[in-house]
Amino acid sequence: MFNLRNCFIVILVLLMPTVVLAGHPNHCAQQNVVGTYAVMSEGTTIMTLEDGTQMPVPVASLLIVAIAPEGNASHSGYVALGDQIMRFGIEPDDPPMVSTITLNSDCTGIEEFNDGMVVELIVQKGGAEINSIMVEGGR
């Protein structure tokens, strides 16, 4: 039976990993993310139509991202947005998506794309893994 006591226990269990992680601070530098990454993503985004209405649209991507020491990133691959498929940096006439990554010493960071999209980052495993979430859409 689900009651207030069980709810409190569940909340404590969910918070426990946060408390454990807080006791082991990470220390990162921009150099931690230099390299080439394979990126796969899927989810839903909200699109605004020409008439101003908004609707959820599925989005998925398969990309190779190369990150330079100064934080410049070049993204090549495919992005499917609804029924539209876009490619970046695959053929010589396809420019790659570009962004700038700024990493904080606590292993969080931000990635800013040239179209205005902003992504928050968490770097784990010494830079071998980067988790992200889009917090602001681009044009």
Side-chain angles (χ1 to χ4, degrees), residues 21 26-28 32-33 37 103 106-109 121-132:
L21 290 175
N26 291 321
H27 298 288
C28 290
N32 287 95
V33 297
Y37 295 83
L103 190 62
D106 66 354
C107 296
T108 63
L121 307 170
I122 296 177
V123 176
Q124 298 179 348
K125 300 178 184 175
E129 184 177 305
I130 302 173
N131 294 303
S132 65

Side-chain angles (χ1 to χ4, degrees), residues 37 39 62-66 74-78 87-90 94-97:
Y37 295 83
V39 178
L62 189 58
L63 302 165
I64 300 294
V65 179
S74 176
H75 306 249
S76 300
Y78 297 92
R87 74 177 185 210
F88 301 94
I90 300 295
D94 295 331
M97 283 191 295

